[in-house]
Amino acid sequence: QVHPVESGGGLVQAGGSLRLSCGASVRTLGNYAMGWFRQTPGKEREFVAAISWSGGNMAYADSVKGRFTISRDNAKNTVYLQMNSLKPEDTAVYYCAAKDPPDSLSIYVTARSYDYWGQGTQVTVSS
């Protein structure tokens, strides 16, 4: 099993930037496909971005395309979500998720595909 741990959330003004990090407390994330999701009260968990374990394949939700960038540094056992040009509607709890994939390029955009989840980190964007 792997236990993702998110960090980097906080309060930022609209138009600002934040970088979220996802590490692992026990095993390495290096062999896992990773995803970022977000959730606001009363709504379902929403896909944000995904990356294959090799880093060679990525996907983004339309709402964040061009503003957010997912990346990973397997040597540092960390996955990142760089968030630029933040908007108040980006306010949510952001979750990191991991999936043991069949190959180096598989990515997953649905929450039910992932096996392991972090506890989440709050991102608040003020207008």
Side-chain angles (χ1 to χ4, degrees):
Q1 289 190 351
V2 64
H3 301 282
V5 179
E6 305 94 340
S7 61
L11 174 64
V12 64
Q13 288 189 333
S17 298
L18 279 176
R19 187 177 77 162
L20 305 183
S21 299
C22 177
S25 60
V26 180
R27 290 185 61 183
T28 178
L29 295 175
N31 294 331
Y32 289 83
M34 302 297 296
W36 285 97
F37 290 76
R38 63 189 182 187
Q39 190 170 24
T40 54
K43 293 190 177 182
E44 291 188 358
R45 203 161 287 190
E46 173 191 25
F47 169 72
V48 176
I51 189 167
S52 60
W53 76 252
S54 68
N57 198 11
M58 291 165 279
Y60 296 92
D62 287 342
S63 59
V64 307
K65 205 170 291 183
R67 300 188 298 123
F68 291 10
T69 302
I70 190 171
S71 62
R72 67 190 303 158
D73 185 339
N74 288 341
K76 295 184 177 180
N77 199 33
T78 304
V79 176
Y80 303 98
L81 184 69
Q82 178 66 44
M83 305 186 295
N84 298 329
S85 301
L86 282 161
K87 305 175 181 180
E89 51 264 43
D90 294 319
T91 295
V93 177
Y94 283 71
Y95 296 91
C96 177
K99 163 75 175 178
D100 189 3
D103 55 63
S104 65
L105 291 177
S106 290
I107 55 173
Y108 304 88
V109 300
T110 59
R112 71 173 72 91
S113 298
Y114 288 86
D115 302 312
Y116 308 103
W117 291 85
Q119 294 300 306
T121 185
Q122 177 70 46
V123 171
T124 302
V125 184
S126 63
S127 56

